[in-house]
């Protein structure tokens, strides 16, 4: 909303020492945020004066254009007192007219410097200005002709044109439509600026009472249009020009001048906030009727668009049919034109919700609709109509018809009950009951009671409907800037939850193994599952489909972390990285198959409904995925390097488990996207937690990765279930270690993990560690079998082992391995 400061001060007195900056600062603190302070003449420098045209000689040019060679009296402004010779291309003036002249040395908006220059065979010393050249509007086909009493030649023209006016632009919240008017802004200045007083309400005026001589109006839908006021004028001069002062104010407020009748309705709308519509009364046929549209009805609105109406649209009709969309836009058939001499003025109050829906439905944006859809004072319809009639009579030579039509009555405002100390409790400020009452009355509320207040908001404040609104009103006017900054006291004894601590531990363990954390997008498509080589019946293909995906190529939530990690790894390889490891910890999404119920918003859901919502939520377990590329150990002068292999991926998962006191067992399986024979199924206490190994060569090729790339993915939630959360430091024995090595021959199909588990079980409590250090297949072992060599280490916590104790423990371990796996000692 743009408002000239002088116009604001017509309705409220502001102390002389309050600058525009201070005034707008106070408005900003109370909710009307300053967007800009503009002065139309701020970009104009140099001599800008009143000039009187003395002579005007038309001179046709070879290009078909006719210019005027003029002599203009600019008084003593040019330093000589002699007439100024100026070339002008406009033709809407004559000798004797007063015009606006900028002399050489002046600068117009856009940094357009004026100098004496030769043009069309003359030395033109200055410019006769149009409104567009001065930044006062878009009119540029004709220059500004000043009123005869505008001043003497050579006089500074800035005060005449309002170029020294300051215009403030304020951001108005949608629920405060009253501030889309000078009336509303002046009222805000009254309650915001210290020392402001003497509010003069432009809507407070004596209006003639309703009578039976008014134009007939019928309200069939009083919920959509509670009040309809109609006034008529006759004998209006359609050729009457809008006075300069009104054009200047409309322009400063951001509206263009159209015609006197339209300008008057816009002026009163800016003045009071009440949208007004005018009909050519001679084109009306029969009484005006307000109703809802019927299916299939159409209307050609003032913007020339033929619109098909909706049964929810409020329309204004007469005997000829629909003549306007109520409160939004009029129709072409009754539009005020250049020949209109009789005008019916409509000042009606419309339901805000209906206005908003109609405007959105038909994609119509107008100044009237902007106000009607936000809520306007319903009690000033008669005053606004009377003000329009007054201006039509005064400026357009019209005669006011004695008939006055007033149908309906304004809706009642809500009665609000609020505790007097509520504002103090909410804000933390000391706000007395007396201050609360004074503040609410200052904004127009009726307040009664003590302790518990009964508040009736003013009719121009439809945003005040409950105790929260009145409380906010008090706090904003007392001052948001005075609300104390008090930080809440955090509860003691709390920290990270067990799940959070475990997730951090897992992440640190992965980082300690040399992997770098990355974050990828959780969206996948069928092409990602194809690249992983997943079979058609793989459970991981059953993903949750998004209603509005970011990309049609990835419309689903991922069920595995590998697609995102492999894409990230491929990008790094493409950028020249040859050896690296990356990991990610986040959730995957597993659909449950249930559909979420659609619940209403008029009540709290029942326990059963909340349970149904929870049931429909997809499972989102926490996973960790990792990928390693290139060398596990770099070669150099110290020796040869080693590429990563499937065991590195398995060892990384073992490190995760070890960080929470768990031991992982591995078993060979065939699962996509890993290479057959180089994939391990990982388990803790016989519960599968994930898989690790070397990726299939086709998968590597699909993602642009070198052969031999390894990956792993584990379910952290399952690891957390078994985790030893609070680990104590291990107790080390100071007694000597006993070493025993065994080599066992087993069938090639027997997993190494099974043999290790059997040895561990048979060895008993003295076993400190077990390690596989050799696997042999060759001439000394039968075909289809292999030899596994294990290093067993025994130690007692409280004594030195006696001769034979470690051997007996070794033999017990071998016996158990023979029993459970068929192993034979070599």
């Amino acid at each position: 909303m743009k408002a000239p400061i002088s116009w604001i001060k017509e309705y409220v007195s502001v102390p002389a020492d309050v600058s525009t900056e201070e005034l707008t600062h106070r408005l900003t603190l109370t909710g009307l945020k300053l967007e800009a302070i503009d002065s139309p003449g701020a970009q104009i420098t140099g001599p800008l004066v009143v000039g009187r045209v003395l002579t005007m000689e038309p001179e046709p040019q070879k290009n078909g254009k006719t210019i005027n060679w003029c002599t203009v009296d600019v008084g003593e402004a040019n330093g000589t007192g002699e007439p100024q010779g100026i070339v002008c291309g406009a033709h809407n003036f004559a000798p004797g007219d007063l015009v606006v002249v900028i002399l050489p040395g002046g600068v117009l908006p856009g940094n357009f410097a004026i100098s004496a220059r030769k043009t069309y065979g003359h030395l033109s010393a200055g410019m006769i200005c149009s409104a567009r050249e001065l930044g006062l509007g878009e009119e540029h086909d004709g220059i500004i002709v000043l009123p005869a009493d505008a001043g003497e030649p050579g006089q500074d023209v800035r005060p005449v044109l309002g170029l020294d006016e300051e215009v403030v632009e304020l951001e108005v919240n949608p629920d405060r439509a009253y501030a889309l008017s000078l009336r509303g802004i002046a009222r805000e200045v009254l309650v915001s600026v210290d020392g402001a007083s003497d509010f003069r309400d432009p809507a407070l005026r004596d209006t003639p009472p309703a009578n039976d001589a008014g134009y007939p109006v019928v309200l069939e839908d009083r919920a959509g249009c509670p009040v309809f006021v109609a006034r008529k004028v006759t004998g209006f001069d359609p050729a009457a020009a809008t006075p300069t002062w009104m054009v200047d104010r409309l322009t400063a407020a951001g509206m263009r001048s159209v015609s006197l009748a339209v300008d008057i309705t816009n002026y009163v709308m800016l003045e009071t906030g009440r949208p007004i519509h005018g009909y050519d009364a001679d084109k009306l046929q029969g009484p005006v009727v307000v109703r809802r549209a019927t299916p299939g009805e159409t209307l050609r609105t003032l913007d020339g668009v033929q619109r098909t109406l909706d049964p929810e649209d409020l329309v204004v009709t007469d005997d000829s049919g629909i003549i306007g969309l109520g409160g939004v836009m009029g129709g072409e058939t009754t539009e005020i034109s250049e020949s209109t001499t009789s005008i019916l003025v409509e000042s009606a109050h419309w339901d805000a919700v209906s206005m908003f829906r109609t405007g959105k439905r038909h994609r119509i944006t107008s100044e009237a609709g902007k106000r009607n859809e936000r809520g306007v004072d319903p009690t000033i319809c008669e005053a606004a109509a009377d003000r329009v009639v007054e201006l039509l009579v005064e400026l357009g030579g019209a005669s006011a018809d004695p008939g006055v039509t007033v149908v309906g009555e304004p809706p009642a405002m809500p009665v609000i009950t609020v505790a007097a100390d509520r504002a103090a409790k909410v804000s933390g400020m000391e706000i007395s009951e007396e201050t609360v009452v004074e503040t609410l009355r200052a904004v127009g509320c009726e307040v009664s009671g003590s302790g518990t207040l009964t508040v009736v908001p003013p009719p121009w404040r439809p945003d005040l409907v409950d105790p929260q609104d009145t409380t906010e009103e008090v706090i904003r006017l007392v001052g948001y800037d005075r609300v104390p900054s008090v930080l809440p006291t955090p509860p003691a004894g709390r920290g990270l939850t067990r799940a959070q601590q475990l997730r951090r531990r897992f992440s640190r363990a992965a980082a300690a193994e040399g992997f770098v954390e990355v974050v990828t997008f959780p969206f996948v498509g069928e092409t990602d599952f194809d690249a992983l080589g997943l079979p058609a019946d793989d459970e991981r293909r059953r993903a949750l489909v998004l209603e509005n995906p970011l990309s049609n190529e990835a419309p689903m939530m991922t069920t595995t972390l590998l697609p995102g990690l492999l894409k990230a790894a491929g990008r790094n390889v493409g950028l020249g990285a040859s050896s690296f490891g990356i990991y990610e910890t986040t959730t995957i999404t597993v659909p449950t198959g249930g559909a979420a119920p659609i619940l209403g918003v008029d009540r709290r859901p029942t326990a059963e409904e909340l349970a149904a919502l929870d049931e429909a939520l997809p499972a989102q377990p926490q996973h960790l995925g990792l990928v390693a590329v290139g060398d596990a150990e770099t070669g150099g002068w110290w020796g040869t390097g080693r590429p990563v292999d499937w065991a590195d991926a398995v060892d990384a998962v073992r490190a995760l488990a070890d960080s929470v006191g768990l031991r992982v067992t591995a078993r060979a399986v065939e699962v996509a996207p890993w290479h057959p024979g180089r994939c391990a199924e990982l388990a803790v206490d016989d519960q599968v937690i994930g898989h690790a190994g070397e990726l299939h060569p086709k998968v590597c090729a699909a993602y642009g990765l070198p052969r031999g790339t390894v990956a792993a993915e584990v379910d952290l939630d399952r690891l957390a279930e078994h985790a030893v959360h609070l680990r104590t430091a291990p107790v080390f024995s100071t007694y000597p270690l006993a070493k025993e090595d065994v080599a066992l021959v087993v069938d090639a199909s027997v997993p190494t993990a099974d043999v290790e588990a059997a040895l561990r079980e048979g060895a008993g409590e003295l076993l400190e560690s077990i390690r596989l250090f050799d696997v042999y297949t060759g001439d000394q072992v039968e075909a289809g079998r292999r030899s596994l060599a294990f290093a067993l280490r025994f130690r007692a916590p409280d004594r030195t082992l006696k001769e034979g104790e470690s051997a007996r423990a070794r033999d017990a371990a071998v016996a158990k391995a023979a029993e459970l796996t068929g192993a034979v000692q070599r």
Side-chain angles (χ1 to χ4, degrees), residues 13-81:
S13 299
V14 179
D17 60 347
V18 175
S19 65
T20 300
E21 289 74 15
E22 176 61 21
L23 185 149
T24 53
H25 174 67
R26 292 304 309 169
L27 288 176
T28 297
L29 289 178
T30 54
L32 288 185
K33 178 185 174 185
L34 175 67
E35 289 291 310
I37 299 176
D38 182 40
S39 179
Q43 298 183 52
I44 302 175
T45 60
L48 186 70
V49 300
V50 175
R52 186 183 301 279
V53 179
L54 302 177
T55 64
M56 177 178 172
E57 300 176 9
E59 295 184 358
Q61 303 298 310
K62 294 180 180 179
N63 59 5
K65 182 178 179 180
T66 299
I67 61 96
N68 293 303
W69 170 240
C70 307
T71 55
V72 185
D73 179 8
V74 293
E76 299 296 328
N78 58 4
T80 66

Side-chain angles (χ1 to χ4, degrees), residues 114-351:
I114 304 299
S115 62
R117 63 191 182 92
K118 190 169 184 179
T119 180
Y120 294 105
H122 299 282
L123 182 64
S124 181
M127 176 186 289
I128 303 175
C129 300
S130 69
R132 184 175 182 178
E133 289 159 346
L134 295 176
L136 296 177
E138 295 301 315
E139 177 60 44
H140 63 90
D141 292 331
I143 56 91
I144 297 174
V145 178
L146 299 172
D149 59 352
E152 296 298 322
Q155 179 181 325
D156 191 344
V157 80
R158 289 174 175 83
V160 178
L161 297 178
L163 290 173
D164 53 356
E165 174 74 272
E166 287 184 306
V167 179
V168 296
E169 183 174 358
L170 303 170
E171 179 184 302
V172 179
N173 291 338
D175 61 342
R176 299 176 67 187
Y178 69 93
L180 292 172
S181 68
L182 274 298
R183 179 195 190 213
I185 294 174
R187 197 182 296 276
E188 283 297 294
V189 171
L190 178 68
V191 298
S192 301
V193 178
D194 293 338
S197 61
D198 191 23
F199 174 66
R200 299 171 288 279
D201 190 346
L204 184 61
R205 57 190 294 121
D206 293 330
T207 58
N211 55 53
D212 296 335
Y215 198 91
V217 174
V218 178
L219 298 183
E220 294 185 0
D221 191 325
R222 297 210 174 197
C225 182
V227 183
F228 195 109
V229 175
R231 296 284 300 276
K232 184 179 178 181
V233 299
T234 57
F236 175 74
D237 180 7
T242 303
T244 303
W245 63 266
M246 183 176 287
V247 173
D248 292 342
R249 283 194 167 177
L250 290 173
T251 302
M255 302 186 74
R256 66 184 182 88
S257 174
V258 178
S259 66
L260 177 59
V262 175
D263 290 349
I264 287 173
T265 60
N266 286 336
Y267 183 84
V268 173
M269 178 181 68
L270 291 172
E271 187 178 57
T272 65
R274 163 58 59 189
I276 305 290
H277 184 65
Y279 301 93
D280 187 327
D282 294 332
K283 297 177 182 178
L284 292 174
Q285 302 177 27
V288 169
V289 179
V290 177
R291 60 173 174 81
R292 299 282 176 173
T294 57
E297 285 188 303
T298 61
L299 169 69
R300 182 176 292 276
T301 46
L302 291 175
D303 56 3
V305 178
Q306 186 76 17
R307 303 182 187 277
T308 300
L309 304 182
D310 187 274
E312 290 191 7
D313 292 333
L314 280 166
V315 294
V316 182
T317 70
D318 64 2
D319 290 347
S320 68
I322 299 176
I323 59 175
L325 269 175
V328 178
M329 186 173 284
E332 279 190 347
T333 57
T334 56
E335 179 181 7
I336 294 176
S337 66
E338 297 176 353
S339 61
T340 298
T341 59
S342 180
I343 300 173
L344 183 71
V345 177
E346 167 207 296
S347 178
H349 184 69
W350 305 93
D351 175 62

